[in-house]
Amino acid sequence: MTIDLQPTTGLKDSIEQRRAARAFLSDPIPEVILEQILHLGLRSPSGYNLQPWRFVVLREQQSKETLQNCAFNQTQIAQAPVVLLCCGDRTAGNSDNIEAVIKLGQANNAMPETFAEYMRSQIPSFFEHHPSFESLEAWTNRHTMLAVAHLMIVAKSFGVDSCPMEGFVGAQVKTAFNIPDTVDVCCILCLGYADKPFKAFGGRFSPEQVCFGETYGAAFSL
Ligand SMILES: Cc1cc2nc3c(=O)[nH]c(=O)nc-3n(C[C@H](O)[C@H](O)[C@H](O)COP(=O)(O)O)c2cc1C
């Protein structure tokens, strides 16, 4: 039975209050909350709905310590009650996954046969010629990191802190956790309750600094 829990924090506060936690309390994340985080986080969109993200969920202390050893000994990993190895499957454009997405769409009454045929004919050529991405790794990262962003904001809305991490040696992580060659490790995501205080907020560039009007480099103002 799925319990429909409601978030305790609204969207704006979840975004503004989310911080990268560098230390975690030992308190566990209740299973029902973890379920909601995964359920809502995985509503993230993806090209053709191919959903190439894969997550190895680490809850055993031994697993987290192994990961910490592959991650420059960053101590928040072994402290966090749950750590996700956020991976992207380079084979998600293969026919098996295309058929799985079609079946899912059919189960949701959202997959007319014409669109199923369109997917079967278009996706293989999209991956063969890849006009829209430079490398498969860029493609897996694009999608997996979007799901990671969803997961972090959803987690915060349920009072759960996080730390996204790129500071790890990918080859070591792949060996330690049996991750196939066809799968990229995009990010580590620690989840739990922060041992505050957070570091002082470093700020963000303003829209005028990072947005351009109509052409790259042209000034933008609101
Ligand atoms: C993709 C990515 C990789 C990161 N890698 C690490 C990391 O390896 N270790 C770490 O302590 N923080 C890491 N961070 C956290 C950032 O340092 C942090 O998000 C940034 O300084 C902004 O702070 P804030 O998230 O608290 O606003 C990473 C963040 C992102 C998005």
Side-chain angles (χ1 to χ4, degrees), residues 30-46:
E31 194 96 337
V32 286
I33 291 189
L34 182 60
E35 186 184 344
Q36 288 292 319
I37 294 170
L38 294 174
H39 174 70
L40 292 171
L42 298 182
R43 285 290 293 255
S44 188
S46 56

